[in-house]
Amino acid sequence: SAVISQKPSRDICQRGTSLTIQCQVDSQVTMMFWYRQQPGQSLTLIATANQGSEATYESGFVIDKFPISRPNLTFSTLTVSNMSPEDSSIYLCSVNLGVNQPQHFGDGTRLSIL
Amino acid sequence: ELKVEQNPLFLSMQEGKNYTIYCNYSTTSDRLYWYRQDPGKSLESLFVLLSNGAVKQEGRLMASLDTKARLSTLHITAAVHDLSATYFCAVDPIQGAQKLVFGQGTRLTINP
């Protein structure tokens, strides 16, 4: 498995501000993923972040709202921009360690927007 | 668009009983994953099912996959309180892409 560290673990932010979430993995991985889990809901994939290329966003998510960086094989950031109360969610990063392996998830960042 | 549906969404059961959670999905896939989430926690991988007819067991939990029926089941045998959690199935619709589509989750409560 992998040790995945997310920072911050939680935050309360003001409407209109932006927050950058960090995800650090203890081993080199090709693909990192960012998910959103709205309160009491399931997980939805935001984007896939590959090192050395632009992130690939899923339908309903755009780069201007959720810019992603992937500067190396162990680190990624997700920024939630111009936040509104609808962005209040848990944001989770995950990694895949191999073709037939499950994704491993970080502990998540619990974000509340006032 | 791939849809993944779990049934039931809420399940309250007594210790010692058996029950099954169902996961149906709408397009072809031979990769299905089961995860557990405790309140306020992240997701823990339970099972990886990679082919038709795959069956995996760990303790009181057993998962199976029928790709022809597009159905996976998670069976709980002689439930104990510690198994109370939310269980998610997730499907990888594009082999190797790992762009998981999750079911709604089944919130399982096991009462003494």
Side-chain angles (χ1 to χ4, degrees):
Chain A
S1 65
V3 176
I4 305 168
S5 302
Q6 274 189 243
K7 292 181 181 179
S9 58
R10 61 179 67 240
D11 207 340
I12 301 173
C13 300
Q14 296 295 320
R15 186 192 304 250
T17 62
S18 299
L19 179 74
T20 295
I21 302 167
Q22 300 179 3
C23 181
Q24 178 79 50
V25 189
D26 68 344
S27 58
Q28 294 185 339
V29 295
T30 302
M31 291 191 287
M32 296 179 75
F33 306 88
W34 288 98
Y35 289 84
R36 180 176 73 183
Q37 186 175 25
Q38 294 176 303
Q41 303 295 315
S42 185
L43 282 77
T44 302
L45 180 64
I46 298 171
T48 303
N50 293 333
Q51 194 268 335
S53 63
E54 294 288 327
T56 304
Y57 290 82
E58 298 303 305
S59 176
F61 298 96
V62 294
I63 187 171
D64 289 347
K65 176 67 175 177
F66 297 102
I68 288 171
S69 77
R70 183 79 201 273
N72 57 52
L73 291 174
T74 63
F75 187 78
S76 178
T77 66
L78 169 75
T79 299
V80 186
S81 303
N82 188 25
M83 289 183 285
S84 66
E86 293 72 35
D87 295 319
S88 296
S89 295
I90 302 172
Y91 293 85
L92 300 106
C93 70
S94 71
V95 302
N96 176 244
L97 300 180
V99 174
N100 294 329
Q101 299 296 316
Q103 285 185 20
H104 297 276
F105 287 81
D107 287 341
T109 296
R110 286 154 181 78
L111 185 56
S112 299
I113 292 90
L114 303 178
Chain B
E1 178 187 346
L2 172 62
K3 293 194 183 300
V4 182
E5 295 186 346
Q6 289 181 231
N7 178 38
L9 301 183
F10 298 92
L11 178 56
S12 181
M13 53 192 293
Q14 288 187 318
E15 281 191 328
K17 300 292 187 182
N18 303 332
Y19 210 82
T20 301
I21 299 170
Y22 298 89
C23 174
N24 290 273
Y25 53 98
S26 61
T27 64
T28 302
S29 175
D30 60 359
R31 292 170 179 266
L32 191 137
Y33 306 84
W34 283 97
Y35 288 90
R36 167 180 173 151
Q37 186 177 39
D38 291 298
K41 303 292 185 182
S42 188
L43 276 75
E44 173 191 356
S45 174
L46 295 175
F47 299 110
V48 179
L49 302 170
L50 299 175
S51 61
N52 185 42
V55 177
K56 296 280 185 72
Q57 183 165 3
E58 181 72 33
R60 301 176 187 272
L61 300 178
M62 183 174 71
S64 66
L65 178 61
D66 181 344
T67 59
K68 294 179 181 174
R70 298 176 185 170
L71 171 69
S72 179
T73 61
L74 180 65
H75 186 74
I76 303 150
T77 301
V80 293
H81 178 70
D82 286 352
L83 290 178
S84 296
T86 299
Y87 293 85
F88 291 96
C89 63
V91 175
D92 180 3
I94 305 171
Q95 187 169 338
Q98 282 278 321
K99 296 188 176 187
L100 299 185
V101 178
F102 280 79
Q104 312 97 307
T106 297
R107 187 174 298 178
L108 174 63
T109 302
I110 298 168
N111 304 303

